[in-house]
Amino acid sequence: MERGAAEPHGLGRYADLLGEVSRTGRLPRREELDALRELGEQAAEDGVGLRELIGRYLAETRRLWGTLPGVARAAGAVERARTGDALLAAVEAAVAALGEGHERAQRLAVRQEEAARREFVDDLLYGRSDLGRLAERAERFGLRLAGEHAVAVAEGPERFDDLHPVARRVERELLGRFGDRDVLVATKDGRLVCVAPGGRDGALDAFATYARTEGPGGRAAQRVALGRPHAGAGGVVTSYEEALGALELAVQLELADPVLYAADLLVFPVLLRDRAAMADLVRSVLGPLTEGRGGARPLLETIWACAATAYVNAEAARRLQVSVRTLSYRLARIKELTGYDPADGLQRYTLETAAMGARVLGWPDRPL
């Protein structure tokens, strides 16, 4: 049974196999089953579904049944039953071989598609491909890189891969809500990544919500960082690097926020470039806080809490687990010791910038 020796119905030498089985009662040989596997594989490559493929062979079996030599010449009911049993065993083996070949081709196609997708994601996030060619490939995966795109990156207590339950759930939720155009969900280096148009409201915020929502299977992400929108394929790389930088800063600064926006953290890279100047800023602005009762830390934590809550005193007090009256006393003490008034816009900015530097340098726990 060779692939080229096809009958009018395109079923290989299946009719010859059934005829011989009806005469002899034997099972299909290995080479015959291998030929059927190849036919199943070829059908998958030609776009024939498994149900349609099996239907063709079962229809051919039914069409030939009454004309098969062993059935037509059977001497009695017992012989017909014995022949029928042998034929059904052969059909069962043939269908299994066809299905195996069809599935083998499908698995190969999936692996090739996954490899192409993985290569595209690597090139997209690292900018290692010709931009024109990259834009062409992006269309295949539902992205149009002409406009602005932003990248969100989620990380959790365990590594994410393409088969991780969280990754599959997040992709399913996003595609169900936003469709399969211009939203790409992938994994990279154990993290979950989403690329979406910068002007598409809610896509990356929805990704952050879905990634941090617990569900069946693996554990959800603990933190998500969102880069800023940038234009073109190179903009995707920039936004991705910003999101990664935000995650690194969160660890370094011990930030508790589960969702980070790179746009809100732009001052930190600037501070980190000149640690000597940053230390001098902390020393000159916040150094007097060491004279406060209990040292500098309670007053420094007050600045951090007020900055994080946009100076909503009730919320800042709740975070600090103190009364609003105590918070007001601390703010007055900060003004008294440093000379900077938290109620004044420019002076507040100086205090907050110095407080950021203190967090970067680990002051007051570590000396400047």
Side-chain angles (χ1 to χ4, degrees):
M1 294 176 61
E2 298 179 357
R3 181 182 294 180
E7 292 183 343
H9 293 278
L11 306 181
R13 296 180 61 185
Y14 183 63
D16 294 341
L17 171 63
L18 292 183
E20 187 170 348
V21 169
S22 73
R23 287 193 300 270
T24 64
R26 68 172 179 83
L27 289 173
R29 299 187 181 95
R30 174 178 296 181
E31 61 271 18
E32 293 169 333
L33 294 177
D34 287 342
L36 287 166
R37 291 187 185 97
E38 290 186 21
L39 288 170
E41 188 172 348
Q42 183 63 47
E45 293 173 359
D46 293 341
V48 179
L50 182 59
R51 178 185 299 180
E52 180 183 352
L53 176 66
I54 299 304
R56 289 180 182 179
Y57 279 82
L58 292 181
E60 181 72 352
T61 302
R62 181 180 180 183
R63 186 182 71 84
L64 294 172
W65 189 276
T67 63
L68 293 173
V71 175
R73 301 171 188 172
V78 174
E79 187 174 343
R80 277 195 300 272
R82 185 166 54 249
T83 301
D85 185 65
L87 283 169
L88 290 177
V91 171
E92 181 182 6
V95 166
L98 289 165
E100 183 179 340
H102 195 279
E103 291 173 0
R104 183 170 62 192
Q106 296 283 25
R107 286 195 299 269
L108 178 60
V110 168
R111 285 197 297 269
Q112 291 173 341
E113 180 70 11
E114 289 176 347
R117 192 172 191 269
R118 172 57 53 197
E119 182 181 1
F120 167 72
V121 169
D122 289 345
D123 291 345
L124 178 67
L125 297 181
Y126 290 154
R128 297 184 302 199
S129 178
D130 173 76
L131 295 183
R133 173 63 179 150
L134 190 63
E136 293 178 5
R137 292 162 61 197
E139 288 282 349
R140 174 181 174 187
F141 298 100
L143 287 180
R144 289 166 291 192
L145 297 179
E148 287 189 339
H149 285 76
V151 180
V153 180
E155 62 180 10
E158 54 192 33
R159 291 177 60 85
F160 294 119
D161 58 33
D162 292 338
L163 298 179
H164 195 283
V166 174
R168 299 177 68 177
R169 174 172 54 80
V170 169
E171 183 173 26
R172 182 173 62 251
E173 295 282 1
L174 280 176
L175 295 183
R177 179 172 172 181
F178 296 99
D180 60 354
R181 295 297 302 177
D182 273 1
V183 176
L184 174 68
V185 179
T187 57
K188 183 64 183 171
D189 297 331
R191 300 183 181 95
L192 192 58
V193 178
C194 179
V195 182
R200 186 158 202 172
D201 294 338
L204 293 185
D205 289 325
F207 168 80
T209 300
Y210 295 143
R212 293 184 299 108
T213 301
E214 293 292 343
R219 299 174 63 186
Q222 292 177 323
R223 178 173 286 141
V224 183
L226 283 70
R228 295 178 297 164
H230 297 279
V236 174
V237 178
T238 301
S239 185
Y240 175 62
E241 292 176 346
E242 288 178 349
L244 291 180
L247 291 175
E248 293 175 2
L249 280 173
V251 174
Q252 185 174 359
L253 303 180
E254 300 179 358
L255 301 179
D257 306 67
V259 180
L260 304 167
Y261 295 87
D264 297 337
L265 302 173
L266 294 178
V267 67
F268 288 103
V270 176
L271 292 173
L272 289 170
R273 290 191 187 103
D274 192 340
R275 298 181 73 88
M278 182 165 51
D280 185 56
L281 176 67
V282 174
R283 186 183 299 108
S284 61
V285 174
L286 302 179
L289 295 182
T290 57
E291 300 175 14
R293 185 170 57 185
R297 174 160 285 281
L299 299 177
L300 182 59
E301 289 177 347
T302 299
I303 298 175
W304 289 338
C306 287
T309 59
Y311 288 82
V312 177
N313 286 1
E315 176 61 19
R318 187 190 67 79
R319 292 195 181 191
L320 292 168
Q321 297 183 338
V322 299
S323 66
V324 175
R325 182 177 180 179
T326 299
L327 178 72
S328 299
Y329 167 78
R330 288 186 180 183
L331 291 173
R333 187 66 172 145
I334 290 169
K335 178 182 177 181
E336 177 185 348
L337 291 172
T338 66
Y340 291 91
D341 185 0
D344 180 89
L346 183 58
Q347 294 182 32
R348 175 193 299 175
Y349 178 77
T350 302
L351 279 171
E352 290 180 0
T353 304
M356 292 177 185
R359 179 168 274 172
V360 171
L361 297 174
W363 186 86
D365 297 332
R366 287 182 287 184
L368 296 173

